[in-house]
């Protein structure tokens, strides 16, 4: 049941990435777009384009009926959801299957089980994977929250079971704060995710974010090693690397084995990522969540393993068994990705749309720029601010940082403010060069090292 025509239910740089992957496999593509995206690069590159509605995502990219109608009209037999939007929506995956189409992702049951972050913790425990000390399942109310917190020890994190994108997370330092924050978190989770379920975790201070890429075909699963994404702002990743320079070989093996154990225990299909916190001091890793989709930072893994993750997920979901054996997957060198956003790092990361003037992209074998931009393109104001991802590969971490510094010098995006100046400062900083970072490092550091306007 190989895929004959692929519809891309997404936009931006990931839509471009998926069109390229499909082209490489000889699969024709259908790019859906909102009215605001009629001139997007993905629309220009795809074989066909279908207008699915007004700019507001709820009326277009999140409109399941319109997406299925676009597939019916064009004869597409498979849908790739990308990341964000409907990519982790079990109802959408089910509707795609009910329409007789292939969903390029896990089975709907797997998404339900792992997409609920409290349920995913239980699945991890059952697979013998260490989780952050925290509540058993979701919190019924303020009393249970209090009891759980006094057992775990403050500070604690209150998280929305349906949360994502760094949102829906609050830290309580003591019992007085807890009651207030639980009530607030419940209201906010209901408004943001349509689901008010909460759970609790101990705050692991100054930990690193290390995540493991997996591929599964429903029967077998392999890992493609790890990425480190400890440089974060508002719990969103800013700079990502593969592999993590913080792990010993034994620690690498342990965290990757945990990931495969969970992937196998749920019969995972497609590409997925298991996120962990890693504590340098003890060497322990703790599962936090699984993203049941392709991730923004997947290219650093592609650079160090030579695997095209998007092509692999398309092949697997089209019915092919996993082609890769664990022993065939090896690491070579070091890769870094910088997220280039339409935000002004010298002005509190204020987002701002604009029209792209001159676009200068560094060209070298070891550099990749995944982007939605072209000269003259008007960046619409309705969607997230990611303009592109600059990715470099080097022989080792120090070499990759040098190449990133050079690549950033060679990247010119005129017409709007971008986060390029932030990345130049990071690439030159002692802390990044020494890899002396953790998930709470960047925000206070930025307060002390303000980014000058360019
Ligand atoms: P990654 O680990 O791939 O970087 P992120 O958590 O940064 O993933 O999310 C990728 C994209 O998906 C971002 O644009 C983010 O805003 C969006 N996203 C993730 N989860 C959700 C969610 N539950 N609701 C809405 N958007 C989400
Ligand atoms: P999301 O679904 O929004 O991606 P995650 O649960 O993956 O949320 O957490 C996002 C980030 O928040 C992590 O990368 C880390 O920086 C921080 N974080 C999450 N859980 C904890 C914890 N228990 N202790 C400390 N930091 C945490
Ligand atoms: Mg996460």
């Amino acid at each position: 049941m190989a895929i004959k025509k692929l519809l891309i239910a997404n936009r931006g740089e990931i839509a471009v990435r998926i069109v390229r992957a499909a082209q490489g496999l000889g699969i024709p593509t259908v790019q859906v777009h909102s009215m605001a995206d009629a001139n997007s690069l993905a629309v220009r590159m795809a074989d066909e384009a279908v207008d699915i509605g007004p700019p507001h995502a709820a009326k277009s990219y999140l409109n399941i009926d319109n997406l299925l109608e676009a597939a019916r009209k064009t004869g597409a037999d498979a849908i790739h959801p990308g990341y964000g939007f409907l990519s982790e929506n079990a109802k959408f995956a089910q509707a795609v299957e009910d329409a007789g189409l292939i969903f390029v992702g896990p089975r709907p049951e797997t998404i339900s089980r792992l997409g609920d972050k409290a349920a995913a913790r239980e699945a991890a425990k059952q697979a013998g994977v260490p989780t952050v000390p925290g509540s058993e399942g979701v919190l019924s109310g303020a009393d249970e929250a209090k009891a759980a917190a006094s057992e775990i020890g403050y500070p604690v994190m209150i998280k929305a079971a349906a949360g994502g994108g760094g949102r829906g997370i609050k830290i309580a330092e003591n019992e007085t704060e807890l009651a207030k924050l639980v009530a607030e978190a419940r209201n906010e989770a209901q408004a943001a995710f349509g689901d008010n379920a909460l759970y609790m975790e101990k705050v692991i201070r100054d930990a690193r974010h290390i995540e493991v890429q997996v591929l599964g075909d429903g029967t077998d699963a392999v890992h493609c090693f790890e990425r480190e994404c400890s440089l974060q702002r508002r719990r969103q990743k800013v700079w990502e690397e593969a592999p993590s320079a913080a792990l010993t070989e034994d620690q690498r093996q342990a965290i990757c084995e945990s990931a495969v154990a969970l992937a196998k225990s749920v019969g995972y299909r497609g590409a997925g990522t298991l996120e962990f916190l890693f504590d340098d001091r003890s060497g322990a890793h703790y599962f936090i969540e699984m993203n049941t989709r392709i991730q923004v930072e997947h290219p650093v893994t592609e650079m160090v393993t030579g695997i095209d993750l998007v092509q692999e997920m398309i092949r697997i979901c089209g019915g092919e068994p996993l082609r890769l054996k664990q022993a065939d997957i090896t690491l070579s060198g070091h890769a870094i990705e910088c997220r280039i956003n339409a935000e002004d790092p010298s002005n509190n990361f204020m987002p701002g749309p604009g029209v792209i003037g001159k676009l200068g992209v560094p060209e070298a074998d070891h550099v990749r720029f995944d982007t939605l931009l072209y000269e003259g393109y008007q960046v619409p104001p309705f969607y997230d601010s990611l303009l592109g991802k600059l990715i470099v590969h080097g022989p080792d971490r120090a070499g990759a940082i040098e190449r990133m510094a050079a690549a950033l010098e060679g990247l010119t995006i005129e017409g709007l403010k971008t986060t390029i100046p932030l990345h130049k400062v990071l690439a030159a900083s002692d802390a990044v060069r020494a890899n002396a970072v953790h998930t709470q490092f960047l925000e206070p550091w930025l307060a002390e090292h303000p980014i000058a306007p360019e």
Side-chain angles (χ1 to χ4, degrees):
M1 68 152 177
I3 292 170
K4 292 180 198 68
K5 195 189 263 193
L6 181 67
L7 182 141
I8 297 137
N10 212 298
R11 63 174 306 282
E13 68 85 21
I14 196 64
V16 173
R17 170 75 187 87
I18 299 164
V19 170
R20 286 223 168 87
Q23 284 173 344
L25 292 169
I27 301 172
T29 49
V30 179
Q31 181 61 56
V32 300
H33 64 87
S34 72
M35 279 148 60
D37 277 338
N39 288 320
S40 76
L41 186 56
V43 164
R44 293 183 172 196
M45 287 170 59
D47 298 295
E48 291 172 71
V50 181
D51 185 330
I52 50 161
H56 193 54
K59 299 199 164 135
S60 48
Y61 297 106
L62 295 173
N63 186 323
I64 295 179
D65 289 341
N66 289 7
L67 289 165
L68 292 178
E69 174 58 18
R72 197 197 56 75
K73 234 169 40 191
T74 55
D77 60 346
I79 298 187
H80 196 308
Y83 56 68
F85 296 122
L86 294 170
S87 61
E88 295 183 272
N89 184 309
K91 257 206 280 197
F92 178 55
Q94 188 65 57
V96 170
E97 290 193 354
D98 291 347
L101 309 175
I102 294 168
F103 180 73
V104 182
R107 286 183 305 272
E109 313 85 80
T110 315
I111 300 179
S112 307
R113 184 149 178 226
L114 297 170
D116 176 321
K117 295 170 73 180
R121 274 167 59 80
E122 297 311 312
K125 285 184 203 164
Q126 277 172 31
V129 174
T131 55
V132 183
S135 57
E136 293 284 330
V138 298
L139 296 167
S140 56
D143 289 342
E144 195 191 338
K146 258 186 211 167
S150 54
E151 197 178 313
I152 300 159
Y154 288 92
V156 294
M157 221 171 227
I158 303 148
K159 292 183 162 184
R167 296 172 311 140
I169 295 180
K170 290 185 189 290
I171 295 176
E173 298 286 346
N174 54 52
E175 202 168 293
T176 324
E177 275 182 22
L178 183 69
K180 190 176 119 250
L181 291 178
V182 166
E184 273 178 33
R186 217 176 267 293
N187 289 334
E188 287 178 24
Q190 183 64 45
F193 312 112
D195 177 352
N196 69 8
L198 303 176
Y199 68 105
M200 184 186 290
E201 278 177 2
K202 186 173 180 64
V203 173
I204 311 288
R205 283 221 160 108
D206 301 348
R208 291 176 189 267
H209 175 113
I210 297 183
E211 57 186 35
V212 180
Q213 175 71 54
V214 296
L215 285 171
D217 62 8
T219 311
D220 196 13
V222 293
H223 69 78
C224 306
F225 295 98
E226 82 284 1
R227 300 184 278 264
E228 176 163 352
C229 320
S230 297
L231 286 170
Q232 303 183 354
R233 200 180 150 268
R234 297 188 171 167
R235 301 194 181 93
Q236 283 184 336
K237 299 154 188 168
V238 166
W239 162 301
E240 299 112 338
E241 305 189 14
S244 167
L247 295 180
T248 64
E249 266 317 310
D250 285 352
Q251 289 165 343
R252 171 167 298 113
Q253 202 176 333
I255 199 168
C256 291
E257 273 173 13
S258 280
V260 172
L262 179 51
K264 281 189 176 161
S265 79
V266 298
Y268 195 78
R269 181 186 75 192
T273 297
L274 295 97
E275 297 189 331
F276 298 87
L277 293 175
F278 176 74
D279 188 336
D280 278 311
R281 295 145 295 196
S282 63
H285 64 270
Y286 306 93
F287 171 82
I288 48 174
E289 68 157 341
M290 180 160 186
N291 291 151
T292 57
R293 53 170 165 88
I294 193 74
Q295 270 189 315
V296 174
E297 59 274 21
H298 74 278
V300 287
T301 297
E302 297 186 321
M303 289 288 228
V304 292
T305 61
I307 297 167
D308 186 314
L309 291 166
V310 180
Q311 285 194 357
E312 290 307 322
M313 73 192 289
I314 294 171
R315 284 175 184 276
I316 290 167
C317 297
E320 282 184 38
L322 197 57
R323 301 185 305 157
L324 298 152
K325 297 273 164 286
Q326 191 63 65
D328 301 334
I329 305 172
T330 54
L331 283 175
S332 164
H334 196 93
I336 301 176
E337 171 180 287
C338 290
R339 294 195 189 196
I340 312 298
N341 293 322
E343 294 169 7
D344 182 357
S346 67
N347 183 20
N348 201 29
F349 293 83
M350 178 85 83
V355 178
I356 304 301
K358 183 171 168 286
L359 178 65
V361 178
E363 301 231 4
D365 281 349
H366 56 264
V367 179
R368 167 171 164 186
F369 187 51
D370 279 22
T371 187
L372 66 158
L373 300 180
Y374 56 83
E375 288 184 357
Y377 176 63
Q378 167 127 38
V379 178
F382 309 104
Y383 310 105
D384 84 25
S385 64
L386 187 68
L387 298 174
K389 306 175 312 203
L390 185 62
I391 307 122
V392 301
H393 184 253
D396 53 22
R397 186 169 187 272
I401 293 174
E402 286 315 322
R403 285 180 170 176
M404 179 54 83
L408 287 162
E409 287 303 326
L411 181 63
T412 313
I413 303 174
E414 286 179 357
L416 38 64
K417 301 273 192 213
T418 77
T419 50
I420 296 172
L422 162 72
H423 290 298
K424 287 181 177 168
V425 170
L426 287 175
S429 72
D430 292 340
V432 169
R433 288 177 175 238
N435 198 22
V437 300
H438 52 75
T439 51
Q440 277 106 58
F441 165 82
L442 184 59
E443 286 185 36
W445 190 86
L446 278 174
E448 283 171 32
H449 301 78
I451 308 296
E454 236 187 16

